[in-house]
Amino acid sequence: MSQSNTFTLDGKTIPYSEGQTIIQAAMAAGEYIPHLCFNPEFKPHGSCKLCTVKANGRQTASCTQHPAPDMVVESDTKEINDERRTLLQMLFVEGNHFCPSCEKSGNCQLQATAYQLNMMSPHFDQFFPDRPLDASHPDYLLDFNRCILCSLCVRASRDVDGKNVFALSGRGIKSHLIVNAKSGRLADTNFSGDDKAAHVCPVGVILKKRVGFAIPIGSRSFDEQPISATPHPQGACPVGPRSNAATLPPHPTVKDA
Amino acid sequence: MNAPTKKLRVATTSLAGCFGCHMSFLDIDERLLELVQLVEFDRSPLTDIKHCGPCDIGIIEGGLCNAENVHVLREFRANCKILIAIGACAINGGLPAQRNHLSLSAILEEVYHAQHGLVDGFIPNDPELPLPLDKVHPIHEVVKVDYFIPGCPPSADAIWKVLTDLLAGKEPELGHGLIHYD
């Protein structure tokens, strides 16, 4: 019996090549699986669990799981979407996500994913943590209130920029994003606006100064179309395995606003 | 001519809000005429009734920043079959909740005592003034909330969609373009 390199995603046949993960093959086929810490340009982190699917009946993160021939993958089901919504609600109450005053509103993947999954309320009690800003850098602002610990800036700075400006520190509920400088301030690092790390934040933590509302709220990426219809919001998704992020071509990003 | 159907009774209030959601509600414009065929208002800024009586739908704008907000919210919950949280402040505390990382005493001190230009400042303590809460809270942390209309404010179309869905006996659904947190 010959084996086909295809699996089914919610009943649709999806081809894959050796080394691809489920989400990579799905994206290449134009299918949307909700995700936050996954970015096609970087090695998967597998931490946000938004991309959880059921593969042959078992829950797994589709950004780290490789498909097998004829695997039956379920993604857009009530059960999984309910769990994804709960994950989102926990992310929202853990930080301070006040969309009306956020420059990233409308271009934010956390917000757009919450719209996509019909999150009408945070459901849980708010933590209201105290997370001071870092406005020390002349061109960039860090608003830690919105950090979801996706580690994309950590991966970009380490793997692409070769700078190690960011890191995740602490464990469990005390995990937080830190800046690699004795003072802990962004101004005391060699971070620059040309860095990949300056352009990968899916939420509103790493913000370019003085351009916040150049594109008005209401005319932004996810105001125009839902995230499921926006092809790869963080960039193109080249087909095939990616072992070396640094060699990948540049890609269009969500409007910097 | 059809016999008039019983109108649903609706109460609305703004707690720790800015009345922006009520303004957005009024933005349904001429659809208000359609709405008043179907509903009548109980306590609301539109009627000036002071206490909420038995209602079908209660609409709460704003979060909870003082003791009076909590009393009003509980009165609404006790009287309304369906309670709706409208706008960012009712849903996650919103702008007033930006004070939550500061201590209440430090805020009162700064505003009434220490701020530059204040002469003989004192923290108001009239018994008529409701006591501020230590932190600002969204309303679902205190009472059961049945439906949420997010937005700052939600658009008139979003409010209209939820109200007309409810009046038609359907589960309200917003979908892309109407669901907004900003």
Side-chain angles (χ1 to χ4, degrees):
Chain A
M1 184 181 123
S2 69
Q3 283 196 326
S4 65
N5 270 4
T6 62
F7 64 94
T8 63
L9 175 66
D10 296 328
K12 288 178 202 151
T13 303
I14 308 286
Y16 68 92
S17 51
E18 223 36 60
Q20 269 188 324
T21 58
I22 292 174
I23 201 171
Q24 285 172 335
M27 283 170 105
E31 296 297 326
Y32 170 75
I33 297 176
H35 59 274
L36 290 172
C37 75
F38 173 75
N39 176 321
E41 288 185 78
F42 298 92
K43 279 186 192 168
H45 191 237
S47 60
C48 77
K49 304 296 176 198
L50 254 287
C51 73
T52 295
V53 294
K54 259 191 183 175
N56 286 343
R58 286 170 185 250
Q59 286 203 352
T60 179
S62 64
C63 71
T64 54
Q65 176 70 49
H66 295 281
D70 303 321
M71 188 183 254
V72 177
V73 180
E74 300 161 76
S75 172
D76 191 14
T77 66
K78 184 182 181 301
E79 178 194 344
I80 296 173
N81 285 335
D82 284 351
E83 293 188 11
R84 288 176 177 145
R85 197 179 309 109
T86 301
L87 289 173
L88 287 168
Q89 287 168 325
M90 292 194 281
L91 286 174
F92 268 85
V93 298
E94 235 181 75
N96 291 310
H97 297 277
F98 295 105
C99 300
S101 57
C102 179
E103 293 179 25
K104 199 66 178 279
S105 195
N107 287 328
C108 170
Q109 285 190 53
L110 176 68
Q111 182 193 60
T113 308
Y115 291 172
Q116 178 74 32
L117 292 168
N118 255 321
M119 191 192 101
M120 303 306 284
S121 85
H123 180 79
F124 300 106
D125 287 6
Q126 297 278 348
F127 283 31
F128 295 125
D130 184 14
R131 300 190 193 161
L133 311 186
D134 178 353
S136 62
H137 193 279
D139 301 321
Y140 275 80
L141 170 79
L142 298 181
D143 189 334
F144 297 104
N145 288 293
R146 302 157 185 162
C147 185
I148 56 170
L149 307 174
C150 70
S151 91
L152 277 167
C153 59
V154 178
R155 285 177 272 167
S157 187
R158 182 190 61 211
D159 302 339
V160 181
D161 307 327
K163 288 186 175 180
N164 277 313
V165 170
F166 300 101
L168 296 183
S169 175
R171 296 179 77 79
I173 194 63
K174 290 184 177 162
S175 299
H176 61 291
L177 183 66
I178 56 166
V179 171
N180 185 11
K182 211 167 187 182
S183 63
R185 292 166 8 121
L186 192 63
D188 299 325
T189 68
N190 56 351
F191 176 85
S192 126
D194 298 328
D195 290 355
K196 187 73 186 164
H199 305 282
V200 292
C201 183
V203 293
V205 179
I206 304 174
L207 296 169
K208 189 170 167 29
K209 289 183 177 176
R210 294 175 291 276
V211 295
F213 294 93
I215 298 168
I217 280 177
S219 315
R220 298 178 174 190
S221 302
F222 304 124
D223 294 325
E224 280 155 20
Q225 52 183 359
I227 191 166
S228 57
T230 310
H232 323 314
Q234 282 170 323
C237 175
V239 178
R242 43 195 69 79
S243 50
N244 187 351
T247 62
L248 289 171
H251 61 83
T253 52
V254 171
K255 290 177 216 166
D256 261 333
Chain B
M1 194 178 141
N2 293 330
T5 49
K6 188 178 171 291
K7 286 184 176 181
L8 293 180
R9 215 167 158 78
V10 177
T12 77
T13 191
S14 178
L15 305 175
C18 69
F19 281 91
C21 296
H22 274 81
M23 297 306 291
S24 198
F25 174 43
L26 294 180
D27 273 344
I28 66 173
D29 296 331
E30 73 275 12
R31 287 172 289 187
L32 271 172
L33 299 175
E34 212 177 307
L35 185 66
V36 293
Q37 301 297 312
L38 302 168
V39 307
E40 57 189 2
F41 285 96
D42 193 277
R43 172 179 170 156
S44 165
L46 312 174
T47 60
D48 211 27
I49 296 171
K50 302 298 182 199
H51 286 278
C52 174
C55 285
D56 298 288
I57 298 174
I59 300 175
I60 309 274
E61 169 190 339
L64 306 161
C65 80
N66 64 36
E68 194 234 356
N69 293 155
V70 179
H71 286 299
V72 172
L73 176 64
R74 290 200 164 127
E75 182 178 287
F76 266 70
R77 179 68 277 184
N79 282 287
C80 302
K81 289 179 192 159
I82 293 172
L83 199 65
I84 304 175
I86 186 172
C89 303
I91 291 173
N92 69 9
L95 185 71
Q98 305 304 305
R99 78 160 158 90
N100 282 357
H101 67 281
L102 302 168
S103 83
L104 184 58
S105 56
I107 296 168
L108 291 172
E109 197 58 34
E110 173 74 18
V111 171
Y112 291 106
H113 253 158
Q115 205 170 52
H116 181 72
L118 283 179
V119 181
D120 295 337
F122 71 100
I123 295 170
N125 62 354
D126 190 293
E128 289 241 331
L129 291 173
L131 285 174
L133 303 180
D134 184 36
K135 287 200 187 317
V136 177
H137 293 276
I139 64 171
H140 74 269
E141 292 185 9
V142 173
V143 299
K144 164 92 166 74
V145 176
D146 300 298
Y147 299 105
F148 299 83
I149 315 178
C152 185
S155 67
D157 287 341
I159 298 168
W160 179 249
K161 179 73 167 58
V162 171
L163 288 179
T164 48
D165 278 356
L166 281 175
L167 291 169
K170 291 192 291 192
E171 276 294 298
E173 213 180 300
L174 287 178
H176 180 74
L178 290 181
I179 176 169
H180 269 285
Y181 301 159
D182 55 18

